Amino acid sequence: MSIKIAKFGGSSLADATQIRKVKAIVLSDPDRRYIIPSAPGKRSEKDQKITDLLYLCHEHVRQGVAFGELFAIIAERYREIVQDLGLSLDMQPHLEEVRENIADGATADYTASRGEYLNGIILADMLGYDFVDAAEIIHFDQRGRFDQKQTHEAIRDRLKKHERAVIPGFYGSRPDGRVKTFSRGGSDITGAIIARGVSADIYENWTDVDGLLMADPRIIAEAKHIEKLTYRELRELAYMGATVLHDEAIFPVRQAGIPVNIRNTNSPERPGTIIVQDAAPITHKGIITGIAGRKDFTAISIEKALMNGQVGFARRLLEAVEKNDINFEHMPSGIDTISVIIADSELEGKLESVLEDIEHDVKPDSVEVDPDLALIATVGRGMAQTPGMAARLFRALADANVNIRMIDQGSSELNIIVGVNAADFELALRSIYDEFVE
């Protein structure tokens, strides 16, 4: 029997109706042996996520404000789910334990993690699967860093005793037993860790979309679906704003070469998007895999005569940036010019300081600051073997009267990144899509 790990997001577990869909999906395939639930998400646009409500409970306690009415909303949500599912499960002892721990000053990590914990208890009862508390098998060190070795040993040893189990997402524990959460979206990480720990054949990530699209549907409504892509392509697209599944969340399965399948709980008959090893053969049609981009960047451009003859020039420039605790995105250069592309969020309140440090440390002939920059990445492994890719891309932008302010292409030729005026972002993305996607 093969092993599938199925992680279900908050929208897939928001209420009894959605949870019934999850049950049908899980029971339709006996290979789906380990299930990773998120906390209940929003049932409507005006609704609130359980995790957000739990964070509010912790904040109330921290400020000495009563949180009883707020927790009552959370408790009623879970009781309503159990009742609507027709389960005989008594949630009151679990809810009371959580409420008392929060009142006694439990950490924010513990408090927030209870959304997944309580949902896991319900899901295990409904499926007839064992419940395994993630705190018992996912470990962090005392400084809060994920302990990969101890975790994989614990998963392997513990899950040998459970043919089928529900394991809540989002959290684990420190050596002293205190709950420690991953970042938001951490249930994706939990699913990937469990998949690697049991050497799964595939990691299914169930959400509320059919998978990845070739472009942002808010800009290109008819954007085509991506059937298959590699981890490297996902990383490039995720870095530039494609957010269905963050690449860092699936790092454990990437290391192990386990494919990931992004599926839609509301349309389980659709195949979704599958993410495969970087060495897998190219099977998709077309030259590119996808296009993604972001606004709100600034270019700091430095000119210095005979720059190419000065040893350590780029290092001193980056040290001036690092000194201000700023991450940079790209660094295109010429013989006597070099630019550092930085997200506006990184420069907030620091621009004057970093310019002063550049002047002092680098002593440039001139420095120019160009704000309102947008970056667009055109990604695809097929690009490297296709002559004229850059020419087609630049021609498409020229025909749309879009000025290119920056060009950057990695040595792998996996993508071409262009910088354009933020006001031209949507037009530029549309122009590139129309050029390459039939």
Side-chain angles (χ1 to χ4, degrees):
M1 180 186 293
S2 62
I3 300 176
K4 292 182 179 179
I5 306 301
K7 176 265 176 181
F8 291 90
S11 61
S12 300
L13 299 165
D15 56 27
T17 299
Q18 289 299 99
I19 294 175
R20 287 192 186 93
K21 295 178 184 178
V22 168
K23 179 180 180 180
I25 289 168
V26 172
L27 299 184
S28 69
D29 188 341
D31 291 341
R32 294 188 177 111
R33 293 171 52 188
Y34 301 109
I35 312 304
I36 316 300
S38 296
K42 290 184 177 182
R43 295 162 294 186
S44 65
E45 189 62 34
K46 295 182 179 180
D47 199 11
Q48 289 180 291
K49 298 178 180 179
I50 288 293
T51 303
D52 292 338
L53 293 174
L54 286 165
Y55 273 122
L56 280 174
C57 286
H58 176 266
E59 186 62 19
H60 276 51
V61 173
R62 193 183 70 82
Q63 295 187 17
V65 178
F67 73 100
E69 292 185 7
L70 186 58
F71 189 81
I73 297 172
I74 297 170
E76 180 58 30
R77 179 90 172 265
Y78 283 109
R79 284 194 289 263
E80 182 180 295
I81 288 173
V82 169
Q83 181 178 346
D84 290 349
L85 289 173
L87 302 177
S88 59
L89 174 66
D90 182 7
M91 287 298 292
Q92 192 57 35
H94 303 292
L95 292 166
E96 188 60 26
E97 179 186 28
V98 171
R99 190 196 65 77
E100 289 179 358
N101 287 338
I102 295 173
D104 289 342
T107 65
D109 280 12
Y110 169 87
T111 304
S113 73
R114 297 305 87 181
E116 281 75 9
Y117 174 81
L118 295 169
N119 228 18
I121 291 172
I122 294 172
L123 195 58
D125 186 81
M126 182 187 66
L127 293 171
Y129 282 20
D130 298 335
F131 175 80
V132 176
D133 190 349
E136 298 173 1
I137 58 173
I138 293 182
H139 298 285
F140 296 81
D141 65 21
Q142 199 57 46
R143 294 174 62 184
R145 299 173 300 190
F146 174 61
D147 189 328
Q148 179 174 286
K149 184 175 184 296
Q150 185 183 4
T151 294
H152 290 162
E153 290 175 354
I155 290 172
R156 184 184 63 247
D157 295 342
R158 178 67 180 274
L159 295 187
K160 282 180 181 178
K161 306 172 185 176
H162 302 274
E163 184 178 354
R164 304 181 187 281
V166 172
I167 304 142
F170 190 32
Y171 69 93
S173 65
R174 298 175 187 263
D176 60 7
R178 288 182 299 153
V179 167
K180 172 74 175 69
T181 60
F182 292 105
S183 59
R184 294 298 288 266
S187 293
D188 291 334
I189 302 175
T190 302
I193 291 170
I194 298 297
R196 183 176 182 185
V198 299
S199 300
D201 297 277
I202 194 165
Y203 168 34
E204 296 180 334
N205 194 292
W206 292 84
T207 180
D208 55 1
V209 296
D210 291 337
L212 292 169
L213 298 177
M214 293 189 71
D216 189 336
R218 294 169 297 183
I219 300 173
I220 300 175
E222 71 279 13
K224 290 187 176 181
H225 169 250
I226 300 175
E227 295 179 3
K228 183 182 290 187
L229 77 165
T230 65
Y231 287 109
R232 287 180 63 200
E233 289 171 309
L234 172 68
R235 173 158 173 74
E236 296 288 347
L237 291 170
Y239 163 71
M240 289 303 295
T243 56
V244 171
L245 184 64
H246 199 282
D247 63 301
E248 291 180 7
I250 57 174
F251 184 71
V253 284
R254 178 178 182 176
Q255 284 183 311
I258 298 170
V260 177
N261 194 188
I262 303 173
R263 304 282 295 274
N264 189 342
T265 303
N266 301 312
S267 303
E269 72 283 356
R270 296 179 180 173
T273 296
I274 192 159
I275 306 163
V276 297
Q277 296 183 61
D278 299 327
I282 299 173
T283 59
H284 60 73
K285 299 177 181 178
I287 300 169
I288 71 169
T289 299
I291 309 162
R294 291 186 289 156
K295 296 181 181 180
D296 301 322
F297 292 93
T298 293
I300 300 177
S301 301
I302 293 94
E303 184 170 351
K304 177 73 172 181
L306 304 177
M307 181 186 74
N308 65 318
Q310 294 191 22
V311 176
F313 187 90
R315 174 183 55 79
R316 292 195 300 275
L317 171 60
L318 292 182
E319 283 179 346
V321 174
E322 180 186 8
K323 194 182 302 181
N324 289 273
D325 195 28
I326 292 172
N327 290 313
F328 77 99
E329 306 288 335
H330 301 277
M331 195 170 67
S333 64
I335 297 175
D336 292 329
T337 59
I338 189 168
S339 296
V340 183
I341 311 301
I342 302 172
D344 289 351
S345 58
E346 289 283 329
L347 279 175
E348 189 172 348
K350 300 178 179 179
L351 180 57
E352 293 303 322
S353 175
V354 74
L355 291 177
E356 288 176 5
D357 287 334
I358 289 173
E359 290 282 358
H360 179 270
D361 298 349
V362 179
K363 297 178 175 56
D365 295 335
S366 66
V367 179
E368 292 185 5
V369 177
D370 297 313
D372 300 322
L373 185 68
L375 301 183
I376 300 173
T378 304
V379 178
R381 286 196 302 158
M383 293 166 55
Q385 290 81 37
T386 306
M389 275 295 303
R392 287 181 61 184
L393 192 152
F394 300 152
R395 183 174 64 248
L397 294 176
D399 290 345
N401 200 31
V402 173
N403 181 45
I404 299 174
R405 293 171 53 186
M406 185 209 80
I407 302 167
D408 196 4
Q409 182 174 21
S411 58
S412 66
E413 299 185 49
L414 185 68
N415 71 352
I416 299 175
I417 297 176
V418 295
V420 302
N421 292 322
D424 292 330
F425 175 68
E426 288 81 4
L427 174 60
L429 198 147
R430 160 65 72 180
S431 300
I432 297 171
Y433 183 89
D434 289 344
E435 173 65 28
F436 291 105
V437 182
E438 297 179 356

